[in-house]
Amino acid sequence: MKYLQQFLLLMLFVFAGEAVHAAAPLPVPASIWGLCLLLGALLSGIVKLPQIEGVANFFLVIIPVLFVVPAVGVIEIFGDIKEIWPIMLGVIGITYLAAMASTGWLADWMIRIKDRRKRGRK
């Protein structure tokens, strides 16, 4: 029952993201809106991490399975993209490195902020 409640709470943010996407005139996907709303709820304390942690960990465990279908799709269309695959691979590699660098920078920045707050409380 605990996991069902956690899943329904996550689905609430998915549907809220869909609603914002339908209402907002910005070209931002509904899933991104939902994640931003969930982040805001977590940061503000409206939602506590233990309220969604179990289902979130489950999704992290099964995420590799979710990439099987796109991989098969790429294999099926490889004949159509065989002329441009080196370019695509380069773009994917550069994007991957940029995402890793920006994620590392953001994590480092957030850790510094957390450490400053801890020092300020002592």
Side-chain angles (χ1 to χ4, degrees):
M1 190 65 161
K2 176 179 95 170
Y3 293 115
L4 180 60
Q5 288 174 338
Q6 291 179 4
F7 180 74
L8 291 175
L9 183 59
L10 284 179
M11 287 299 102
L12 176 72
F13 285 96
V14 169
F15 291 132
E18 290 288 340
V20 172
H21 177 69
L26 300 172
V28 177
S31 59
I32 301 302
W33 284 115
L35 286 172
C36 289
L37 291 170
L38 179 59
L39 177 63
L42 285 166
L43 291 175
S44 67
I46 295 170
V47 174
K48 306 281 190 245
L49 185 59
Q51 291 176 290
I52 60 167
E53 194 170 21
V55 169
N57 286 335
F58 170 73
F59 283 136
L60 286 174
V61 168
I62 67 162
I63 202 165
V65 176
L66 302 176
F67 287 104
V68 170
V69 173
V72 170
V74 168
I75 291 169
E76 284 185 5
I77 65 163
F78 188 75
D80 298 334
I81 63 169
K82 64 182 172 189
E83 293 87 24
I84 61 169
W85 75 266
I87 297 168
M88 288 177 63
L89 220 59
V91 168
I92 290 169
I94 291 168
T95 306
Y96 174 76
L97 292 174
M100 292 296 285
S102 62
T103 302
W105 176 81
L106 181 62
D108 186 50
W109 180 67
M110 292 176 78
I111 289 168
R112 287 182 190 174
I113 289 174
K114 185 178 177 183
D115 288 345
R116 282 187 209 144
R117 286 184 182 170
K118 281 184 180 178
R119 278 186 258 136
R121 289 182 187 165
K122 290 182 180 180

